Amino acid sequence: MPRAGRTTGKRAASKTGLREHGLALVDTVVAFHESEAADCADWQVEVAHPTPAGNLVPDGVVLLNNGSSAFVEIDRTMSYARLVAKLERYDAYRNAPPSGRGNGARAPRSHWQETYAGPSLARPFPPLLFVFAPAPRRAAPATREAGFQERARRV
């Protein structure tokens, strides 16, 4: 039996907001597949990435058809302050110091480099894609996107 105060998968799925968030993520996966930008099997959801300030958990990480990866965040109702904080967390992940000791053949790498840059470090930090999905009682996705971009320029 789950302890009080802890969210289980069953409890989370029963909340309409999370269900709608999950459906928006599925719609995003389908859109990438239909546009031939990525196959629907090339997605990982809710994967933790270590940062100096704790784990960063993107809504999705997609392997694009060009061989690079992208982080995907779905927004339906998050405040601008929380969206900007999430953006700052991605910056902390990108700028985290290398982990490990490396070896004679190569210098130590950060987690994102180990995971996404490839063996020659040829790939840049994956782009972060925000998807502004419709939500009841909120501004239209285009309005929310414009408002977020205005605030994010300060970061």
Side-chain angles (χ1 to χ4, degrees):
M1 184 158 186
R3 294 188 336 225
R6 292 187 70 190
T7 300
T8 64
K10 191 172 186 178
R11 281 188 198 165
S14 70
K15 294 182 179 179
T16 301
L18 293 176
R19 186 176 332 128
E20 295 301 322
H21 183 272
L23 290 172
L25 180 59
V26 170
D27 288 343
T28 302
V29 171
V30 169
F32 271 71
H33 180 74
E34 288 177 347
S35 70
E36 299 182 1
D39 189 71
C40 28
D42 291 333
W43 285 78
Q44 292 181 306
V45 296
E46 303 286 332
V47 178
H49 295 73
T51 76
N55 283 338
L56 166 71
V57 183
D59 290 323
V61 179
V62 59
L63 177 63
L64 300 168
N65 285 341
N66 67 8
S68 65
S69 296
F71 298 113
V72 178
E73 289 292 339
I74 306 294
D75 170 60
R76 294 182 60 255
T77 60
M78 197 179 294
S79 71
Y80 292 126
R82 286 183 58 204
L83 284 171
V84 170
K86 191 97 180 201
L87 187 62
E88 290 169 341
R89 201 150 203 166
Y90 276 96
D91 191 50
Y93 178 58
R94 181 184 64 210
N95 294 313
S99 56
R101 296 161 59 165
N103 59 36
R106 67 169 180 81
R109 297 177 178 186
S110 67
H111 183 269
W112 83 261
Q113 290 170 323
E114 285 287 344
T115 308
Y116 300 108
S120 66
L121 296 178
R123 294 186 195 120
F125 187 78
L128 170 57
L129 309 175
F130 276 96
V131 176
F132 293 90
R137 300 181 313 275
R138 285 291 194 173
T143 304
R144 287 190 53 73
E145 179 183 0
F148 170 68
Q149 287 180 357
E150 178 183 321
R151 286 168 174 82
R153 283 188 194 100
R154 299 179 200 137
V155 175

